[in-house]
Amino acid sequence: MNLPMASSNGVISVRNFWVLMGLCFALSSMAGMVQSTPKFDELFQPTFASDHFIYEGDDVLKMKLDYTSGAGFQSKSKYMFGKVTVQIKLVEGDSAGTVTAFYMSSDGPTHNEFDFEFLGNSTGEPYVVQTNVYVNGVGNREQRLNLWFDPSKDFHNYSIYWHPRQVVFLVDDTPVRVHSNLEHIGIPFPKDQAMGVYSSIWNADDWATQGGRVKTDWSHAPFIASYKGFQIDACECPATLAASDNVKKCSSSNEKKYWWDEPTLGELNLHQNHQLIWVRANHMIYDYCSDTARFPATPLECQHHRHQLKLN
Ligand SMILES: *[C@@H]1O[C@H](CO)[C@@H](O)[C@H](O)[C@H]1NC(C)=O
Ligand SMILES: *[C@@H]1O[C@H](CO)[C@@H](O)[C@H](O)[C@H]1NC(C)=O
């Protein structure tokens, strides 16, 4: 094609038009790199290494792990009860040695915490999802599962549903773990400390993959976890309120009823029960409740765990 040469009379030539278009495109993609996604900005902020954040369009956030650093974000507010969901697409290809975590946690030495930890693996080997629950500063309640899909190929929904009677971990709305309130038999349940929502990616090759035998191969860095669809549907707890006032604010009353206080939402429905039993039968690879080497006496909460039983 014969492009007209740059004109000097103020008319934009075809060639200059394309140069301008290229410039606009470059500027808008640069803007995309420095801006953030509106939903992420509304709810979250980076906790460290904001130079390891990549914003794509206005809905996808990527965090990268390289030899110099991982990255992390946290919610701007703290919450009690409700449901928190993010869509995550985990590190593709070789993710051995890396851990990507999505969790809720309160502060202090007697903190509570609900964890999803995604343990990377060598190319072609399956990711492992580890969940854990800390109550009053004590964890040691690990469960591990593999998934019924490859979590590095597409975005999937990971949710934590926190109810005064149960904590439920969900993958694409399928419950994969329930931690029930057993206060009636004297077991403490996390329901009086507001929690933040967190995520991070870091190098954990001392333990993550095949017990630490497979190390991070830095020649495959950067390792990138992608996020979108940030949703927090929970009771927000102002930092200025005392803990007991937050409990009061986040309990349903005559004036205000929270959606999770529907009587039916305090336990799994029949369909969800069947889903959980299916997950436990087909995808669970470790459960602290049955680790007799670690816990010679079965933890009391495990003895009362309804989903240990397989229904016929
Ligand atoms: C995740 O949730 C969103 C919003 O509800 C939905 O559009 C999407 O299909 C879900 N993704 C999967 C893999 O289920
Ligand atoms: C990695 O793959 C190996 C072999 O398939 C498997 O035994 C292991 O559980 C996988 N996950 C982790 C985190 O090691």
Side-chain angles (χ1 to χ4, degrees):
M1 204 199 329
N2 234 337
L3 291 174
M5 296 307 290
S7 62
S8 51
N9 59 8
V11 176
I12 298 172
S13 68
V14 171
R15 183 200 210 172
N16 285 356
F17 173 77
W18 286 111
V19 168
L20 271 174
M21 285 300 281
L23 192 63
C24 289
F25 182 74
L27 281 173
S28 61
S29 48
M30 270 162 65
M33 283 162 68
V34 292
Q35 274 168 4
S36 175
T37 78
K39 193 68 185 174
F40 175 79
D41 263 0
E42 178 196 325
L43 299 171
F44 295 97
Q45 62 199 14
T47 32
F48 65 103
S50 54
D51 60 340
H52 282 54
F53 282 58
I54 303 157
Y55 299 100
E56 224 177 59
D58 38 306
D59 65 338
V60 175
L61 161 70
K62 297 182 169 187
M63 288 200 299
K64 67 176 180 185
L65 163 69
D66 60 23
Y67 194 71
T68 65
S69 181
F73 65 78
Q74 69 176 61
S75 57
K76 293 179 175 173
S77 298
K78 295 218 172 358
Y79 303 90
M80 285 187 87
F81 312 128
K83 188 175 174 185
V84 173
T85 301
V86 288
Q87 295 185 40
I88 310 175
K89 182 172 173 288
L90 291 160
V91 177
E92 272 182 278
D94 181 16
S95 57
T98 72
V99 173
T100 307
F102 166 54
Y103 61 105
M104 296 183 74
S105 183
S106 58
D107 297 329
T110 58
H111 80 292
N112 301 321
E113 189 175 319
F114 313 139
D115 291 328
F116 270 110
E117 289 181 313
F118 302 94
L119 317 185
N121 219 331
S122 317
T123 307
E125 300 298 333
Y127 252 91
V128 165
V129 182
Q130 173 166 293
T131 59
N132 201 356
V133 174
Y134 281 71
V135 185
N136 295 335
V138 183
N140 299 325
R141 295 186 181 84
E142 293 88 355
Q143 289 186 355
R144 286 184 172 194
L145 29 121
N146 51 41
L147 293 167
W148 48 97
F149 51 83
D150 179 347
S152 69
K153 285 282 173 281
D154 291 297
F155 285 95
H156 288 271
N157 292 287
Y158 302 94
S159 317
I160 298 170
Y161 171 53
W162 180 18
H163 186 279
R165 302 229 310 265
Q166 62 177 355
V167 181
V168 185
F169 294 75
L170 302 117
V171 174
D172 289 338
D173 267 334
T174 296
V176 299
R177 177 174 189 167
V178 174
H179 183 85
S180 302
N181 184 332
L182 297 170
E183 284 178 317
H184 64 281
I185 56 164
I187 296 174
F189 182 80
K191 64 173 185 28
D192 46 20
Q193 298 179 33
M195 297 174 112
V197 182
Y198 299 83
S199 183
S200 49
I201 179 168
W202 75 94
N203 175 42
D205 66 1
D206 52 330
W207 64 274
T209 306
Q210 301 190 34
R213 285 190 303 281
V214 183
K215 301 296 176 195
T216 303
D217 179 349
W218 293 108
S219 74
H220 292 159
F223 304 101
I224 294 177
S226 309
Y227 297 78
K228 65 176 185 176
F230 305 95
Q231 267 178 283
I232 299 183
D233 192 356
C235 171
E236 193 170 340
C237 298
T240 48
L241 280 192
S244 57
D245 291 333
N246 279 324
V247 173
K248 198 183 285 172
K249 175 178 189 282
C250 296
S251 308
S252 291
S253 62
N254 289 337
E255 298 84 59
K256 173 148 199 181
K257 187 154 165 59
Y258 291 100
W259 61 266
W260 54 86
D261 282 326
E262 279 300 320
T264 54
L265 296 178
E267 53 185 48
L268 300 188
N269 62 33
L270 188 62
H271 176 60
Q272 292 174 318
N273 259 302
H274 285 146
Q275 288 181 312
L276 180 58
I277 289 162
W278 174 79
V279 169
R280 293 186 57 90
N282 296 289
H283 294 282
M284 177 152 286
I285 51 179
Y286 175 83
D287 186 358
Y288 75 108
C289 282
S290 35
D291 189 342
T292 50
R294 224 172 131 202
F295 304 103
T298 306
L300 191 56
E301 71 214 31
C302 299
Q303 299 170 24
H304 292 263
H305 205 298
R306 288 190 303 123
H307 300 98
Q308 296 301 105
L309 309 169
K310 281 183 195 150
L311 301 185
N312 296 314

